Each structure stands twice: as C-alpha cells, then as structure tokens.
Amino acid sequence: MSKFPFLTLLVTLPLLGALILAFFPRSAGELAKRFALVWTLVVFALTVGAWLAFKAGGDRFQLKDDYPWIPQWGVRFTFEVDGIALVMVALIGLLVPLIVVASWKTVEALDGNRSVPAYFALLLALQGMMIGVFAASDVLLFYVFFEAMLVPMYFLIGSYGSHQRRQYAAVKFFLYSLVGGLFMLAAVIGLWVLGGNTFDWHTLVEAEFTTWAERWMFLGFFVAFAIKAPFFPFHTWLPDAGSAAPAPAAALLVAVMDKVGTFGILRYCLSLFPNASKYFAPLAIALALVGIIYGALLAVGQNDLKRLVSYTSIAHFGFIGIGIFAFTTQAGSGAVLYMLNHGLATGLLFLVVGFLVARRGSASIKDFGGAGKLVPWLSGVFFIAGMASLALPGTSPFVSEFLVLLGVFAVNKTVAVIATLGIVLAAAYVLWMYQRTMQGTLNPALNEVPAMKKDLSVRELAVVAPLIGLILFLGFYPKPVLDVINPAVQATFTQDLGVSDPAPKSEAKK
Amino acid sequence: MDNIQYSAAVEYAAASGTLSSIWLLFAIPLASAAVLFLLGRRADKWGHLLGVASVVATFVLGLVYFFQLKGLSGNRSAEVDLFSFMPVGSLKVDFGLLLDPLSAVFVLLITGVGSLIHIYAVGYMAHDPGRRRFFAFFNLFIAAMLLLVLGNNYVMLYFGWEGVGLASYLLISFFFDKPSAATAGKKAFLMNRVGDAGFAIAMFLMFAQLGSVNYDDVFNGVNQLTQGTVLVMGLLLLLGACGKSGQFPLQAWLPDAMEGPTPVSALIHAATMVTAGVYLIARSNAVFSANATLQTVVVSIGALTLLIGCVIGCAKDDIKRVLAYSTVSQIGYMFLGVGLGGAAYALAIIHLLAHGFFKAGMFLGAGSVMHGMQDQVDIRRFGGLWKYMKITWITFGLGYVAIIGLPPLSGFFTKDPIILAAFNRPGWTGWLFGGAALLGAGLTAFYMTRLFVLTFHGPKRWTDGQHPHESPAVMTVPLVLLAVGSVASGFLMSTSVVDWLTPVLGKHAEEHGRLGHWTVTGMTMAVVALGLAAGVLLFRKGTALEEQPAGPVVTAARNNLYADTFNELVFELPGRYLTRALVFLDNRGIDGVVNGLAAMVGGGSGRLRRAQTGYVRSYALSMLGGALLVVAALMAVTLG
C-alpha cells in the first residue's frame, strides 16, 4: 500500500486552486479558464491514482489520512473512503474538468459585468468541499464540509444564474439547506454527547443509544439528507435552483451535490442508527416512492427544459431512496451505482440542455421545435442523454435501475411494481421533451437565431464524448464499478445494519 | 399428450470450436451501425453498401453456425458466457449467449429476410438524403433483434428487446420533421414500454422465487413454483409479448408504425420485431405449459386479436395499413398456436417463418407499387397495375395466395394446422377458438382479395399525372426471392422444422381430436373460397373514390375499433389533467407551504414572505394532497 496522501491532496488541491484563482484580476478571464482546466485535470489524474490504489475486495475503508485538529473535542481531520465514497469522488474528479470546459463561454454570455476568475474559483472550491464531504470519516468534519459547500453553490446560482429569479432561487436553496443543516447540527451534538465525546465514525458505529435518542438523531440527519437529495416533499427548491443556475453548475448540483444526501443516508443514518433506520424505513420508502411517480408526472408537465430535467432527477432520487431502504444487496448496490450513473446521465443531459439554451437564449420548450434538422449532432447527443435518462439497456442507468427494482421486489412487491410504472413515465417525459424540441416542423423563430445553425463544436464534443463513452461502457460492463461498490454495501447492510438478503422462495420452502 | 420438457432437465452444452464465436452475429451489425453513426456524412457515399454487407455477412455466418449446430450429436446447443454482466450478491447475470434449434431458425429468418430487405432498401431509399442514417438504424435493429434471440437468460433477452424498441422508434420516426411520424414513433415506444414493464416485473419475480433469471434455472425450477406464481409470471411475460407483437390490448401502435419508410414496415412486421413476442412465449414454453389458465389467456388473446386485425383490415383503404392489420391478425394466429401449447408451439413457429417470407414480400411489393405511383398509398387510387409492373404483380400475387392459405403455398401448410389444433382443444372452448380461427381465415381471404384486386386489377382510378413503372432490379430481385420462399417454405418446413425444434419445444405425439385433418381442411377451403369470391365479385369493377357512409360496424372498423379513442379517454386525457393539477399544486402549494416554514425558521426572509402571501387555500389543499399521497404510499409499503 502506498502511503501517498491521495485524499488529503484531493481535498486541498482544489481549494488551493480556488484561492489562487481568487487573486486573478477580473481581466484575466482567459487565463483563469486555462488555469482551472489544467488544475482540475491534475485533480482528475489524482482521482485516477486513488481509484487504482484502492483495492477492490480489500479493507472496507482505505487510503486513510489522519491529522489532529481540535484534540479537546476529539475532532480530527480523518479522510478515508469505502467503495461508495470512492465512486463518488471519482465522479467528481471526472465531471469537474468537463464542467470547466462546458463553462468556457457561459460566463461571458451572461449580462452584466461578472468576474470570470471568480466563477472558476467557486467551481474549484465546490469541488474541494464536495470531495471533503465524501472523504471525511469524522462526523464533525463531514458536517463542516456539508455546510460549507452551500456557499460556493449559493454564489454560483445567485451571481451567475441565468434569469431574473436567480436571487430568489439562490436564497431558497440556501435556506432549505441551512434548515436541514441545523437539524443535523443538533443531531451531531447529540452524537458527541451520547456517543462518548468523540466524532470518530468508527467509534460511533459501535456506540449504543436508547431507542428514542437513536430515533431523534436519525431524524436530524435524515431531514438534512432528505432536503439535500431531495426527497418529496422537500424537493421544491431543486427545480428553482436547477433552472436558475448556469447549466454547468446545475449539472454539478444534480449530478454530484445532491448525492451527498443519499450518500449521507447510507454512511450515517444506516450505519450509526441501524434500529432507527429499520423503524423509519417504511416512511422513507413511502416518500421515495411518491417521489418516483410525482417527480415523473411533474416532469411530463414542465415547459422549461431545465426545470424538466430537475424534476426527472427527483424521480431518480426516489429510485435511489427505495434502493437504499430496501436493505437488500442488489437494491443497495443498485442504488449506489444509480448515484454514479445518474451523475453521468443527468450530468450529460443538463450539459446538453445548457448547449441548447446557450444557442437559443431560452430554456422554454416552446422556443424550440424541429431543431433536429438544424443541429443533427447536438440532437443526437440530446437523444442519447434522454435514452440514458430513461434507463435503456446498453446505457449504464439500466443496470442500476434494474438492480434497484429487482432488489426491492425481493422484499416488497407492491413498492417495486409501483416504482416500475416509473419506467413508463420516464419514457413519456423523455420522448415528449425530445419531440417538442427536436422533431416535428421547424419552429420558424429558430431560423432567426444564427447560433441555432451551429452544430456541436469541438469543445462541446470534448465535453460530451467522455460521458457518452462511459455511459455506454458501463452499460455493457458495469462489473469494475460493482466490484468496488458491492463489498461496501454488503458491509453496511450486514455489519452495521445486521440484515441479510431473503432466500429465494423456492429454496426457502425446501 | 403432455410436454416432456420439464420432466427432463433443460441443459445447455458449452460452445466449442467455431460456435464459441457466435457473438459475432450481433457484433457485426452493431459495429457497422456504429461506423455509420460516427462517420456521419463522410460515409454517405458508401454507407448503404456497408450496411448491406454487414447483414449479408451475418447471414452467411448464421448459415455456418446452423450447419455446425446441425452436426452436433446429442444435445444440440451451444452456450457462451462472454463476461459477467451484473454480479451482485446471489444474483449472477452473465452476458451469455445461446444458439439452439429455436434461436438458430430465428437467426436465419432475421438475417436472411433482413438481408433481402436491406438490399431492397438500397433502391427504395436511393433518393433519400438520410439513407446512411437509415442503414445505421437498420443495422442497429438487426443487432438488437439478434441479441434478443441469442441471449441465454431473460436479462439478455430484455436487453435486445428494448434495443429493438429503440431501433423501431428511430425508424418509425425516421421522417422526424413530420409530426405524425414523430408521434407514431413515440406511441410505439410508449406502448412497448408498458409491455416491457410487465416483462421486467416477471424477471423480478423469477429472481425472488428461483434466485436466477437464466433460462435453464427458470425452466428447471418451474415445477417448484405454485400454480398462482406460474400464472402471474406468465401473465407478466405475456404483457411484454403483447406490447412487442402488437396484440390486444397493446395493438394500437402497430398500424401507426407505417409512418416509417416501407422497408421498415417489412422489417418490423415480417422478419423481426413483432415476432419477438411469439419467440418469448415459445422460449418460455416450460412456464406457459405449466398452467392451463395461462394458456387459455394466451389463446383468447390470439383469437381476439386475429379477429380484430381481420375486421379492421377489411375497412382500411391505405395499402400499408391493410397489410399492418393483416400482420396483427397473423400474429394472432401465432399467439393462438403458442397458447394451445403441445405440438402447436412448433406450428406457430413455422407459421411465423412462412409469414416472414410472404409478409415481407407483400410489404416490399407495396413499396414497389408506391415507388411507381408517386408514393400513393390509397388502394382506391390504384387499379390495373398488373400490366405496368409485372414482377411486382406476380410476386405480390404469390404472397397473397400464400397468406390466404391456398395449397400448395406456405400458408396452407402453416395456418391450417393451427386452425385444426384450435378445434381440437378439449372442451367447448375448442369450438369457440376453432370457429374464430376459421372465421379469420375467411375474412383474411376477403380483405386480401380486396387489396389485391383493387391494386392490380379492375379499372384504373389513378390520380392525374401517374406513370406507373416497374422498380429497378435491386428491388425486384428481393421480391422474387421472397416469393420463392412464400411458395416453397410451407411444404419444406412442415415436418423438417418441426422435428428440428423438438429439443426445445418438446416431442408430442400425433393428436387425434374431435375433427379430422381433412374435415378442417375442407371447411377452411370453403370459407376461404367464400371470402375470395366475395372479394372478387364486389371489387372487380373498382370501388368508389371517396369514403362512403357506412353502418356502425364499418365505421368502428375504420376507426380501429376505437382503440385509440379508448386510450386517449382512459389514459391520455386523465393523465394530462393529473399532470396539470400536480404542476399547479407543486408551484403554488407544496412549494408555498415549505417556503412558509422555511421563512419562519430561517428568520423571516422578506423575499420568501412576499412570495408566499395569498395562497393560503391552495397551501391547505396541497398539504392535504401531499399528506394523502404519503399515507397512500405508506399503505402500499405495508402491503409488502
């Protein structure tokens, strides 16, 4: 095992980059872009290194870096990842450089005089904090990153957002998250008091709590995560934030940041409060199930591309939710794989929508129509993103959705059957969206917009090609990722939660 | 009488030698599709040639594998596990392929008839600027269909299954700037997805009950399941089969699929997609044979759909739509066959193969007519074309004689035995289903005669400026080959293919039911003659050029027996209102409530306060609605 401090560097390098960028003069926009690209590529190379250094099937937690912080409180800088966290860190490492490239012209295109270096500084800061959230294994450290990452996203939406309601959306995003965070803070303090004056995750997993203490602390964490994920009925901030944020930032928001919620449920709610998790599982599944159908129906009814994609994500988070709370290996691994695949697929969808919106100057579906004739390649990529979003076999989301539903069915048929209706609704919202924007008679207004006649540029192609490649590769061969995820999920369910998979009915009979 | 299938365990032999490379079968067309997509316009000049070459190569390869398989002694099967696809816990799904007698005949049908349709399309699409894109989709279709029949487990089948759905969507909405084409593609995809959802749940049930979705595990495990479980599993698979094969109640997408270019109709309706449902049931014969109720449901759906197809087919004036409903009806016969079970499984498969020839031939013939008539599709506007396109006339005529089942053409050998088997079903239902199948034969003879006479004979009723002409050789040669197949395939297949399929579908003794072979043949010939005579007498002098007022039955048939109206009223309209109501509530209500809370907790942000004033009633309403939703979901969760 190398003792190379991958995780420490992965957290600090982006933050350092953000700091450097913050000192760039406003006029140095071009340089800032190039700097951000190179810097994030270095970070990406580091994530690749971390992925290779991680032994699938080895210890549950690996790549540990540990430094003292506030010894009086027992707080430490402890970073380590299990398979679940590793996958999310890798997703961040991959996505952020692509988002930097996708943002190349976004900032200038905005009205007013907004600083380009600051935009990229915020992106890098966000990257460092998000990696920190996934890599932390000290509860207070996790909480700090969890709250801190709100700040750069708040400014990305509020200062670089694309329409008049961006301030409203930013404030709403911030308040929702803050409220959730307060609940969590209370639970974190409770943990410290009841768990033996420590924030160390490993010690706290062993701690015993009274039934009621466990349930209250579970709720504190769960509310924060359910807002972040978001689950119904805490979801209404997402469509506003998703439509107001610049498309690349929105992609980062739904593709990665929201996954902190579902990741947190797995790592903190389930492992620290196993009994409460079992107690509240039916409620959590119910909320997630409502989200699947509700989010999909609302997506069908949207007239704004970015809001539509946001609502599809709410439906997808519902799938992740039922997958986590079904407590079977297939559903759990499926849910984690779903977190990755949703990041790839919806990330791609948001980025492509961003390309479209940038050309048309509007996200309203009415302003498109028949655009496939004008921009065939862009429309093809849009279609692929849509197919990934409806989990077509051959694209990676199929594998995760299938695993989730199969795993849920083994323990709760009704839920699985209702959730399966979601795949029909997914076809409806994707195909209808595609029909209204790309197919049919050409909207004459599009002919007036010169940008709508430019097909995918090389820069844009460079953004989407890696994502499409990965979506197709993992659609056919998900095993490398499953091998990393499976042990972590199994450990969470069997060691922390103490549940095992039901045996097939026909064997159980014998 | 009974199937020996599940008394002896199903076991597949590992592939060896040449057979271990069967993955090439779907990899070649897939690679060709990828090249055509990625090279874009650079491949416009030669893309169609690559497309044709890849499918022809696959056909040749298919033949090689077929003879390899034939040469195997004992267990004629070759199984290849390429790699581990979804290994999670006790779930083991491999990317595994299986070539056995059943998949081998499908491979030959798909690639053989598929090759001819590809060649034809070179001529048909010659002047279309999107020809390369068309061939990319065509190759993708073939690849998906081959994966569908070559999988050795249900997940692989599903993989190809949805791939076919995707390719059909792309092909049906090929002229995507035409709103009707875009809508038709979407409709096909959506109705298929409804079926796919059923199929998916069937797989979840297999895993929950048997711990596996592999063919051998499932088939060998069927006898451990309760009758109720078998019934549910079968019904779910059937839902998937109905979606893909355009059977009641999911038949409405199939005629709209005519929006695609004509070769698409030939491919979807003859050689590939719609036969997938029949394949699924035949492949799962161990499941379907294990429950009598299940078989009755399949038979009922087959009988009902074959009549629906015939009735609507009689009322349509669009040459492609008549053929489309005829497909719905012929697949109904196949469902009838696989539903009857026993020896009729193999009958359904040979009818499927024969149908692959004559229906592909007729669709391509219709395309040839359209080609010579400036894309006219209205049979009221044809007439007397036999003189101008002799090859099309003769080849179409042979397909026509084959489908109505006159001896010695293929339909006679493949459809009549299904009618016989239906009559010989024990109990009163035998009379019912046999009668339906017999009536269908008469109606088929009638509407196909109408189609044939109005198109090729009688007075000319052309629109102005028509100069009909025969199509080029690249189109007529496939027509001739398909006609040869329509003529000869029935006689050649009626025993050899049935024997060939025995290892998969089971060996069944000759059945002697209530009606003898010659009795049923005599009855069938009589109704066919009746339908044929009626068609000739009514239409030999042409028909009115405009739609005539008609009674309720014909009006209903013209409106597809109101299936679309039904779907619209029951699903689309309520769906639209529900969606609108939810959008309203979400914007005003749930958002408002939480905003209000957030504003209070967050210390009173003025902005949020302002945003939430004045909607108190809708908050209350949506709080109630939201609470009800959660309660309903909780109840669903506790149902388990």
Side-chain angles (χ1 to χ4, degrees), chain B residues 87-175:
Chain B
V88 181
S90 57
L91 177 74
K92 301 266 179 287
V93 180
D94 287 335
F95 208 99
L97 304 178
L98 168 71
L99 190 74
D100 72 346
L102 184 62
S103 49
V105 294
F106 271 89
V107 167
L108 291 183
L109 172 73
I110 295 160
T111 55
V113 177
S115 294
L116 295 177
I117 299 173
H118 271 68
I119 294 168
Y120 174 96
V122 171
Y124 191 85
M125 300 297 287
H127 305 296
D128 195 295
R131 180 164 70 171
R132 173 197 50 83
R133 185 167 59 94
F134 180 83
F135 274 90
F137 295 160
F138 242 36
N139 279 182
L140 180 67
F141 202 115
I142 296 282
M145 193 67 204
L146 287 169
L147 183 60
L148 190 160
V149 298
L150 283 170
N152 76 348
N153 60 65
Y154 281 99
V155 173
M156 285 300 107
L157 174 55
Y158 188 78
F159 208 114
W161 189 267
E162 287 236 302
V164 167
L166 164 73
S168 69
Y169 166 84
L170 293 168
L171 286 166
I172 293 168
S173 51
F174 181 75
F175 301 120

Side-chain angles (χ1 to χ4, degrees), chain A residues 95 99 102 106 162 238-256 258 304-314 317 342-358 363 378 381-382 385-386 389 433 463-464 467 471:
Chain A
L95 272 181
I99 280 168
T106 308
S162 51
L238 181 63
D240 282 327
S243 73
L252 202 58
L253 175 72
V254 292
V256 183
D258 290 347
D304 176 292
L305 283 171
K306 286 159 95 182
R307 288 185 76 86
L308 195 158
V309 179
S310 302
Y311 275 109
T312 69
S313 293
I314 292 165
F317 292 130
H342 177 264
L344 298 173
T346 306
L348 176 66
L349 192 55
F350 242 125
L351 289 171
V352 181
V353 164
F355 298 161
L356 278 171
V357 173
L378 184 51
V381 173
F382 190 45
S389 203
M433 167 178 78
V463 174
V464 295
L467 289 174
I471 286 172

Side-chain angles (χ1 to χ4, degrees), chain B residues 57-361:
Chain B
T58 314
F59 175 60
V60 173
L61 207 58
L63 277 175
V64 172
Y65 292 134
F66 175 79
F67 285 110
Q68 290 269 331
L69 192 69
K70 201 158 181 274
L72 291 181
S73 54
N75 187 353
R76 268 188 195 152
S77 57
E79 196 177 32
V80 189
D81 283 332
L82 292 177
F83 51 84
S84 175
F85 182 45
M86 281 194 240
V88 181
S90 57
L91 177 74
K92 301 266 179 287
V93 180
D94 287 335
F95 208 99
L97 304 178
L98 168 71
L99 190 74
D100 72 346
L102 184 62
S103 49
V105 294
F106 271 89
V107 167
L108 291 183
L109 172 73
I110 295 160
T111 55
V113 177
S115 294
L116 295 177
I117 299 173
H118 271 68
I119 294 168
Y120 174 96
V122 171
Y124 191 85
M125 300 297 287
H127 305 296
D128 195 295
R131 180 164 70 171
R132 173 197 50 83
R133 185 167 59 94
F134 180 83
F135 274 90
F137 295 160
F138 242 36
N139 279 182
L140 180 67
F141 202 115
I142 296 282
M145 193 67 204
L146 287 169
L147 183 60
L148 190 160
V149 298
L150 283 170
N152 76 348
N153 60 65
Y154 281 99
V155 173
M156 285 300 107
L157 174 55
Y158 188 78
F159 208 114
W161 189 267
E162 287 236 302
V164 167
L166 164 73
S168 69
Y169 166 84
L170 293 168
L171 286 166
I172 293 168
S173 51
F174 181 75
F175 301 120
F176 62 85
D177 49 342
K178 226 171 101 192
S180 59
T183 305
K186 186 182 65 179
K187 183 172 172 185
F189 199 113
L190 276 178
M191 294 194 90
N192 267 290
R193 264 253 153 160
V194 173
D196 294 358
F199 185 178
I201 297 171
M203 287 190 283
F204 307 151
L205 185 60
M206 287 170 197
F207 178 72
Q209 292 286 336
L210 299 164
S212 173
V213 291
N214 292 339
Y215 289 157
D216 42 3
D217 297 331
V218 173
F219 301 155
N220 292 328
V222 167
N223 52 10
Q224 299 166 28
L225 302 177
T226 63
Q227 281 293 307
T229 309
V230 175
L231 179 61
V232 173
M233 190 185 288
L235 288 177
L236 289 165
L237 288 174
L238 179 62
L239 182 62
C242 286
K244 196 104 317 190
S245 289
Q247 297 292 288
F248 180 81
L250 297 175
Q251 80 282 13
W253 68 268
L254 220 159
D256 286 15
M258 296 301 120
E259 290 289 343
T262 308
V264 174
S265 313
L267 193 64
I268 293 181
H269 281 193
T272 57
M273 181 162 174
V274 294
T275 60
V278 182
Y279 173 79
L280 176 66
I281 297 177
R283 173 59 77 194
S284 315
N285 63 77
V287 177
F288 282 85
S289 298
N291 186 292
T293 316
L294 183 54
Q295 289 186 306
T296 308
V297 176
V298 180
V299 172
S300 309
I301 285 180
L304 183 60
T305 315
L306 83 86
L307 288 178
I308 291 177
C310 286
V311 169
I312 302 178
C314 292
K316 290 285 167 182
D317 297 314
D318 177 324
I319 186 169
K320 283 169 78 181
R321 283 184 197 254
V322 176
L323 290 174
Y325 275 106
S326 134
T327 301
V328 170
S329 158
Q330 294 299 310
I331 309 271
Y333 276 102
M334 298 171 209
F335 268 58
L336 188 63
V338 289
L340 290 167
Y345 279 118
L347 300 178
I349 300 296
I350 59 170
H351 189 52
L352 186 156
L353 297 172
H355 179 256
F357 286 109
F358 61 65
K359 188 51 70 59

Side-chain angles (χ1 to χ4, degrees), chain B residues 524-596:
Chain B
T524 312
M525 285 306 112
V527 289
V528 167
L530 214 63
L532 201 159
V536 172
L537 288 176
L538 278 172
F539 299 106
R540 78 198 140 93
K541 297 222 170 101
T543 185
L545 299 183
E546 301 302 325
E547 196 162 277
Q548 301 296 309
V553 177
V554 175
T555 311
R558 279 182 190 157
N559 289 305
N560 307 332
L561 299 180
Y562 302 114
D564 291 321
T565 323
F566 177 84
N567 288 339
E568 204 169 292
L569 281 178
V570 175
F571 299 109
E572 216 178 305
L573 225 58
R576 203 177 300 157
Y577 283 115
L578 177 67
T579 318
R580 271 193 211 147
L582 285 178
V583 170
F584 177 82
L585 281 185
D586 202 64
N587 289 344
R588 291 285 156 76
I590 295 184
D591 196 19
V593 172
V594 189
N595 270 349

Side-chain angles (χ1 to χ4, degrees), chain A residues 89-407:
Chain A
V89 170
L91 177 65
I92 300 170
L94 171 79
L95 272 181
V96 174
L98 299 178
I99 280 168
V100 167
V101 179
S103 306
W104 219 249
K105 293 195 173 145
T106 308
V107 191
E108 285 99 328
L110 295 169
D111 52 304
N113 189 16
R114 289 176 239 181
S115 161
V116 177
Y119 174 87
F120 288 98
L122 289 169
L123 268 187
L124 279 170
L126 189 59
Q127 182 184 29
M129 289 165 183
M130 288 193 305
I131 294 179
V133 166
F134 289 110
S137 95
D138 180 283
V139 180
L140 190 70
L141 188 61
F142 171 81
Y143 173 77
V144 169
F145 279 123
F146 184 86
E147 291 289 40
M149 70 181 181
L150 292 181
V151 179
M153 189 48 95
Y154 169 80
F155 284 111
L156 281 172
I157 299 172
S159 307
Y160 297 89
S162 51
H163 61 61
Q164 314 83 335
R165 300 219 317 161
R166 63 174 188 265
Q167 285 296 338
Y168 166 80
V171 171
K172 191 168 171 182
F173 160 78
F174 197 79
L175 283 184
Y176 268 67
S177 303
L178 199 68
V179 170
L182 287 177
F183 280 103
M184 187 160 103
L185 180 63
V188 167
I189 294 169
L191 258 184
W192 187 79
V193 173
L194 300 172
N197 301 1
T198 176
F199 286 117
D200 177 47
W201 185 87
H202 295 274
T203 319
L204 288 170
V205 166
E206 303 297 323
E208 299 278 340
F209 307 106
T210 64
T211 309
W212 282 104
E214 199 183 321
R215 285 183 190 169
W216 280 113
M217 287 190 290
F218 172 92
L219 283 179
F221 277 91
F222 182 75
V223 168
F225 296 145
I227 290 175
K228 178 79 30 181
F231 288 167
F232 178 89
F234 310 110
H235 62 274
T236 55
W237 65 268
L238 181 63
D240 282 327
S243 73
L252 202 58
L253 175 72
V254 292
V256 183
M257 200 168 173
D258 290 347
K259 305 300 181 334
V260 175
T262 46
F263 169 81
I265 291 174
L266 272 165
R267 174 71 73 75
Y268 295 91
C269 288
L270 261 52
S271 294
L272 296 179
F273 318 114
N275 296 319
S277 297
K278 285 178 211 160
Y279 178 78
F280 285 112
L283 178 68
I285 290 180
L287 293 182
L289 189 61
V290 172
I292 292 174
I293 304 297
Y294 187 87
L297 283 174
L298 276 153
V300 175
Q302 294 306 309
N303 297 313
D304 176 292
L305 283 171
K306 286 159 95 182
R307 288 185 76 86
L308 195 158
V309 179
S310 302
Y311 275 109
T312 69
S313 293
I314 292 165
H316 290 144
F317 292 130
F319 278 103
I320 301 176
I322 59 169
I324 292 174
F325 281 98
F327 303 148
T328 64
T329 325
Q330 288 83 23
S333 287
V336 176
L337 192 61
Y338 210 124
M339 286 157 63
L340 170 69
N341 288 335
H342 177 264
L344 298 173
T346 306
L348 176 66
L349 192 55
F350 242 125
L351 289 171
V352 181
V353 164
F355 298 161
L356 278 171
V357 173
R359 282 170 170 72
R360 183 65 181 91
S362 158
S364 171
I365 293 178
K366 278 199 289 293
D367 291 334
F368 292 90
K373 278 270 178 222
L374 295 178
V375 283
W377 280 89
L378 184 51
S379 116
V381 173
F382 190 45
F383 184 74
I384 294 173
M387 288 300 111
S389 203
L390 63 76
L392 191 84
T395 64
S396 56
F398 163 70
V399 179
S400 35
E401 200 162 287
F402 184 84
L403 285 172
V404 165
L405 290 171
L406 179 123

